[in-house]
Amino acid sequence: MTETARPSQLTAVPNNEGVDAAVAAARRVVGALLHTGDRSPVEMAAVAAQLDAVAQHLERHAPTREERLVDMWGGEGVTRHDPVTGPENAVAPPLHLDGREDGSVEGRVTLGLPYQGPPGCVHGGISALMLDHTLGVANHWAGDSGMTGTLTLRYHRPTPLFEELVVTARQVSVDGRKIRTTGEITAAGEVCVSADGIFVNKHLPRPR
Amino acid sequence: MTETARPSQLTAVPNNEGVDAAVAAARRVVGALLHTGDRSPVEMAAVAAQLDAVAQHLERHAPTREERLVDMWGGEGVTRHDPVTGPENAVAPPLHLDGREDGSVEGRVTLGLPYQGPPGCVHGGISALMLDHTLGVANHWAGDSGMTGTLTLRYHRPTPLFEELVVTARQVSVDGRKIRTTGEITAAGEVCVSADGIFVNKHLPRPR
């Protein structure tokens, strides 16, 4: 059952079947392992053996890396594999982003233990990861995109885990190949982290 | 079989048993799912069911979130759960960092598909995540540490996947509560990303 993407939907829409469902379950395993830790009565050797068997089965049926890269980057539209929004990537929270009429983009996400830095708070580098990606998506939404040249992050207050975060970004200016984009992460209306990026309008070739 | 930590070892040493072994297997599943994608003959509904069963078993035996947070932050020494170096966190590559005699810290890591941004390259936000964390560890090694205030990243050239990266950082100065720290990621001797951070010497309380 695939949701229908709205035109303003700027990140991949997860399916509830196929690889997306398996990835959602893998994401749940990652969280549960971190939540369980090493003091539980669970027989971790048995868990490791089950997970290794799943991995081995998948690896046996995987294409070569080159084939997979071509497949990943084929077609148009948004990526399904990136570590921020990708429904095929269990590292991704995932963050879903929508384009707004005023030209900015916005997403909402609540992060758990896999993304912890200071006690009970989001790792500063995870905030950087989400903002770098969101600024890039804001550039796509605005029409001029490119690769990150410089990214400056300002940490205003700790970013909480387990609470809804709002991640927003907008393109500020385009001057030749130089694109300036800003964004921020807020919790309960307060800015936790802000970002200022300079992007360069160039793209790496897609594998073929 | 636990390796003995060297005094200069600044990140958690993974065990080959217990939760660390299960997390290593989960990390392998994450990579294999991304590598397999949605075109393989693997019955993904069955994989999803197996992984959901593992997650459910773990969740059933997990402590409460509050208990787990106290446990995570108990004792001294390095964290085992963070998303960069943590052997208990399948999101972490993981990166291992060592302190060097000249006061800097260094780690080597090779990243695969879960960390991809541009085709065949490391996501700029993943480089930011690794550098933010490594600068923080460099502060610990130097003796004055704190929370990230401002972090500036400069992207010099694409950072390759599937090749060994060297991640280094060093504390540059301490002026009152303000700490300045720099670092970089190199591949084959060339700087891919450099970082300049201002840290503030304060720490959030640990859960008890």
Side-chain angles (χ1 to χ4, degrees), chain B residues 171-195:
Chain B
Q171 194 173 81
V172 175
S173 63
V174 179
D175 179 11
R177 297 180 66 198
K178 199 170 136 182
I179 300 162
R180 193 168 155 241
T181 315
T182 61
E184 58 188 34
I185 298 174
T186 60
E190 303 265 16
V191 178
C192 300
V193 188
S194 60

Side-chain angles (χ1 to χ4, degrees), chain A residues 28 34-35 39 52 59 63 68-69 71 83 88-89 114 116 123 125 132-133 148-151 153 155 162, chain B residues 28 34-35 39 52 59 63 65 68-69 71 83 88-89 114 116 123 125 132-133 148-151 153 155:
Chain A
R28 186 178 163 197
L34 200 44
H35 197 99
R39 304 266 189 105
D52 270 323
E59 287 163 2
R68 177 60 180 139
L69 279 168
D71 197 40
E88 296 182 11
N89 190 337
Q116 185 176 224
H123 193 293
D132 177 57
H133 197 86
T148 318
T150 309
L151 182 69
L153 300 142
Y155 295 87
F162 316 122
Chain B
R28 186 177 163 199
L34 200 46
H35 196 98
R39 305 267 188 103
D52 270 324
E59 287 163 3
R65 181 195 291 168
R68 177 61 180 138
L69 278 168
D71 197 43
E88 296 182 10
N89 191 339
Q116 185 176 224
H123 193 292
D132 177 58
H133 197 87
T148 319
T150 309
L151 183 68
L153 299 142
Y155 295 86

Side-chain angles (χ1 to χ4, degrees), chain B residues 9 36 44 50 61 96 106 123 141 152 193:
Chain B
Q9 202 143 12
T36 305
M44 285 293 175
Q50 281 174 286
H61 294 88
H96 302 294
E106 179 185 292
H123 193 292
W141 181 237
T152 302
V193 188

